[in-house]
Amino acid sequence: PRSTLFPYTTLFRSRLRADWRVNDWLLVYASYAYFEDGSVPTSPLTFHDPYGGAEIRWNQGASHFFPSGGYRLEWDDAMHTEHQHIGHLEWDGTQVLPHGLSIETQGQILIRREPLLLVPPWTEGNAYVALKWTPFLVATLGYEWTTMQSNAATHNYFNGALQWNITTSTSVRAFAGGTRGGLKCISGVCRVFPPFTGARLELVLRL
């Protein structure tokens, strides 16, 4: 649908997805999204975002592996040139084990190019693996990286975390290591995070 959010600002969005249930343990899908963003009148953008993936399940659905990937193109309609492109690969997997244990992994790889930055194309991403004892403990090891040319001395970041869920609404989490800066998406919310190296202790209380 087309909607006017501000005077002289118009956004248009559309998305199409097709799913195919191959059998009880495999579903594959393909999707295409199209966006128009006129929030900057002097530089209106058009987005093309095709992607696809699969949902693979076993152990009566308790274990799974969800790979996906696609290519996002952002086109500058005023300059008639590429604004940005991002190729992306993602995965999410869980293997259940006895006694309430499971091994889980999540990750994302981005292949990026932004001509306005005047730097060569680069890759960045993150890969995490965790041992979970439901619902009490989660131990996580992570690796994040970027190959973008910059003044930063570090392009590889390793980290580890241990989380203790005291109750369903209270937890303590200890983190040590580093994380790369840049745009990251967590639970569907995307924002720019600064790089971090060090240690921190987090306490979450929900009343």
Side-chain angles (χ1 to χ4, degrees):
R2 186 178 296 272
S3 62
T4 302
L5 303 181
F6 306 100
Y8 316 111
T9 299
T10 302
L11 299 177
F12 176 79
R13 306 181 296 274
S14 62
R15 185 181 298 274
L16 178 66
R17 169 168 164 157
D19 291 35
W20 178 29
R21 171 65 66 180
V22 180
N23 49 43
D24 291 341
W25 56 269
L26 175 62
L27 180 144
V28 295
Y29 62 87
S31 176
Y32 174 77
Y34 175 84
F35 305 88
E36 293 178 2
D37 183 358
S39 58
V40 181
T42 57
S43 183
L45 297 177
T46 298
F47 300 78
H48 300 274
D49 190 8
Y51 68 92
E55 297 182 4
I56 307 167
R57 303 177 189 271
W58 62 98
N59 294 141
Q60 290 77 48
S63 301
H64 70 261
F65 183 64
F66 299 160
S68 64
Y71 178 87
R72 179 187 178 104
L73 172 64
E74 301 180 11
W75 185 260
D76 189 319
D77 294 325
M79 300 296 294
H80 301 289
T81 187
E82 179 183 291
H83 179 259
Q84 177 181 212
H85 81 231
I86 305 175
H88 56 95
L89 296 171
E90 305 86 21
W91 70 88
D92 180 303
T94 296
Q95 173 62 61
V96 296
L97 301 172
H99 310 296
L101 296 172
S102 63
I103 296 177
E104 303 184 2
T105 179
Q106 291 183 337
Q108 181 182 58
I109 300 172
L110 304 177
I111 302 97
R112 305 188 60 176
R113 180 176 184 270
E114 295 187 39
L116 294 179
L117 295 182
L118 302 178
V119 297
W122 75 97
T123 66
E124 61 187 35
N126 51 267
Y128 282 86
V129 61
L131 177 64
K132 179 182 289 187
W133 180 30
T134 306
F136 307 107
L137 290 172
V138 182
T140 305
L141 294 175
Y143 169 59
E144 302 188 5
W145 79 91
T146 177
T147 63
M148 183 179 184
Q149 296 181 1
S150 67
N151 294 326
T154 302
H155 290 83
N156 298 281
Y157 304 86
F158 298 89
N159 60 68
L162 182 65
Q163 179 171 318
W164 175 31
N165 298 317
I166 303 170
T167 69
T168 56
S169 59
T170 304
S171 64
V172 177
R173 182 174 184 266
F175 173 92
T179 58
R180 67 176 177 85
L183 181 65
K184 298 182 182 179
C185 299
I186 301 174
S187 300
V189 178
C190 300
R191 67 183 181 93
V192 176
F193 289 81
F196 175 83
T197 300
R200 57 176 178 251
L201 183 65
E202 303 172 354
L203 173 63
V204 176
L205 296 173
R206 295 185 178 92
L207 304 176

